[in-house]
Amino acid sequence: TLAFGLFLSVFSVATLGLMVNWLSAGLLAFTIFFYAVVYTMWLKRLTPQNIVIGGAAGAFPPIIGWACVTNSISLESIALFAIIFLWTPAHFWALALLYKKDYAAAEYPMLPNTMGEQATRRQVRLYSALTVLCSLVLAYPLLEAGIIYVVAALALGFVLVRRASDLETHPTPKRYRSFFLFTIQYLGLLLVALMVDQLAFLPLLG
């Protein structure tokens, strides 16, 4: 498994570098190393903030994709990185709340096991709110999104924060699972709204 993983990593980085550009390949190599070594081998067993810091690895794809197309890193790609980075803790801590006993048995210092469920639920609500605020940065001050995206971001954000608040008032395994699944839908729909928004305004830009 290790040999196969190393082969895929080296092959994918080399392919991206030779066929696209070396900036995106370098970012991909860093992401693989950060996820496999820093997050999986070190942070997971070291700190209850593992998913916050390690979540950066899962947020790098927009920056890598932007670098593939433009051979550069921009504020727009960093904004997308920030949205996913802030979205990840709320998304994953819902799962950690649901499988608290399993993480305890495996001796992983997940937040529900170290700080308690109530503190974790507060953090879920906090990061949900931060995600919504960050999602609006693309519209202002970056001015890279229009009314379609803004309406979708506000509507989806309202539901996200409301559901996060419900976890505090009515904490049940069913709600934890439902919130976890909704966070996936939230991010997917938000990005679809951004694409639709960009396509709708494309004729105006060019």
Side-chain angles (χ1 to χ4, degrees):
T1 301
L2 177 62
F4 183 59
L6 288 171
F7 168 76
L8 289 179
S9 298
V10 173
F11 183 75
S12 62
V13 171
T15 301
L16 197 60
L18 292 171
M19 299 186 67
V20 184
N21 59 61
W22 288 106
L23 174 60
S24 59
L27 290 169
L28 176 61
F30 173 78
T31 302
I32 294 171
F33 173 80
F34 191 88
Y35 189 89
V37 178
V38 177
Y39 169 58
T40 303
M41 296 178 64
W42 183 47
L43 287 174
K44 271 189 175 182
R45 293 191 177 274
L46 180 69
T47 170
Q49 294 297 312
N50 47 25
I51 195 60
V52 178
I53 306 169
F60 261 101
I63 296 181
I64 297 172
W66 194 282
C68 285
V69 176
T70 67
N71 199 22
S72 66
I73 298 174
S74 70
L75 289 176
E76 293 87 350
S77 64
I78 293 174
L80 289 170
F81 168 91
I83 292 170
I84 300 173
F85 178 76
L86 293 171
W87 165 88
T88 301
H91 163 71
F92 202 87
W93 277 332
L95 201 64
L97 285 163
L98 184 62
Y99 293 107
K100 177 183 176 181
K101 292 182 180 179
D102 296 309
Y103 281 113
E107 298 183 350
Y108 280 94
M110 299 302 291
L111 197 63
N113 303 97
T114 59
M115 300 296 293
E117 292 190 24
Q118 185 176 2
T120 303
R121 290 192 294 268
R122 285 198 297 266
Q123 289 296 305
V124 167
R125 186 176 63 173
L126 172 63
Y127 275 93
S128 296
L130 290 174
T131 301
V132 176
L133 290 175
C134 187
S135 70
L136 299 174
V137 169
L138 285 170
Y140 185 83
L142 292 183
L143 303 178
E144 289 296 329
I147 189 65
I148 296 175
Y149 173 79
V150 171
V151 170
L154 288 173
L156 290 167
F158 172 79
V159 178
L160 181 69
V161 174
R162 190 198 68 189
R163 286 195 169 213
S165 299
D166 286 345
L167 295 185
E168 287 201 79
T169 55
H170 302 91
T172 64
K174 183 178 179 180
R175 286 184 183 273
Y176 293 154
R177 184 184 301 276
S178 177
F179 181 82
F180 171 77
L181 294 174
F182 175 74
T183 57
I184 300 173
Q185 298 169 347
Y186 165 86
L187 187 61
L189 291 172
L190 184 72
L191 296 176
V192 168
L194 180 60
M195 289 188 289
V196 172
D197 183 272
Q198 296 297 303
L199 289 173
F201 283 90
L202 188 60
L204 300 178
L205 298 175

